[in-house]
Amino acid sequence: MAEHEEQSGGIPPLDEEAAWAAIVAGYGQEPPDPPGSRPFRPIENLLLPEEDVKPLPPEPGPDAEPEPPAAPAPAPALGSSVVFAPGVGMAGPRDHSLAEPDDDDPAAAEEGHFVQPEPELPPADTTAKFAWLAVVGGPVLLLLAVLLQWDMTWWLTTLGIGGFLGGFATLIARMQHGDDEDDDPGRGAVV
């Protein structure tokens, strides 16, 4: 043991069993405030300046009569050891709800509510329908021929590949060209 004191600079070794016993004995107790610290300010006094803080009652001296025990305090709520700023923990922005509109006022009921209209698609003509049928149907026909293990004849191959290429070329040829760009005022701000 003298050898250990020499290695540690003359400090005796720490008794771990006594340290753990002290920790277990003090479990759940509030540690004392360090010397020179200011007293704890309850949440009611956090907004007040220092001079307006209610003073703490004086501690009874050694010759004072003991006070009768107070009523037991209610059990603290879960998370009560966390100290929040004033106003935190009340209703927050996620607790906000909009006021219900009056049924009598139709303008207030529709205010702020926008229903997007269904887009009107141009009617498809017969040529466009057959072109889409060829673009989709050609590869589907070839896939069926492979899955069902049909003989890949020249007419089946021509129908599948030719249908896809012909339908695709028809759809590209029928696309609108960008020649009338200046005629459409709906593509931006008009000055």
Side-chain angles (χ1 to χ4, degrees), residues 33-53:
D33 290 334
S37 65
R38 297 187 322 181
F40 172 74
R41 291 172 45 186
I43 195 164
E44 296 86 27
N45 296 339
L46 284 178
L47 291 176
L48 299 174
E50 285 292 326
E51 60 270 1
D52 293 340
V53 175

Side-chain angles (χ1 to χ4, degrees), residues 140-150:
V140 169
L141 179 66
L142 292 175
L143 184 64
L144 277 175
V146 170
L147 290 177
L148 299 176
Q149 297 178 353
W150 293 344

Side-chain angles (χ1 to χ4, degrees), residues 25-113:
Y27 181 75
Q29 296 177 359
E30 186 72 26
D33 290 334
S37 65
R38 297 187 322 181
F40 172 74
R41 291 172 45 186
I43 195 164
E44 296 86 27
N45 296 339
L46 284 178
L47 291 176
L48 299 174
E50 285 292 326
E51 60 270 1
D52 293 340
V53 175
K54 298 176 204 169
L56 293 175
E59 294 186 15
D63 56 344
E65 294 182 14
E67 294 183 19
L78 182 63
S80 65
S81 62
V82 179
V83 178
F84 292 105
V88 175
M90 317 309 183
R94 292 185 181 173
D95 299 326
H96 178 72
S97 61
L98 296 174
E100 294 295 322
D102 284 341
D103 293 336
D104 301 335
D105 187 13
E110 294 188 16
E111 180 180 334
H113 182 68

Side-chain angles (χ1 to χ4, degrees), residues 14 23 29 34-35 46 61 102 105 116-117 119 122 131 133 141-142 159 169-170 178-179 183 187 191:
L14 179 66
I23 290 172
Q29 296 177 359
L46 284 178
D102 284 341
D105 187 13
Q116 182 173 353
L133 178 67
L141 179 66
L142 292 175
L159 191 61
T170 303
D179 296 337
D183 297 339
R187 292 193 181 176
V191 181

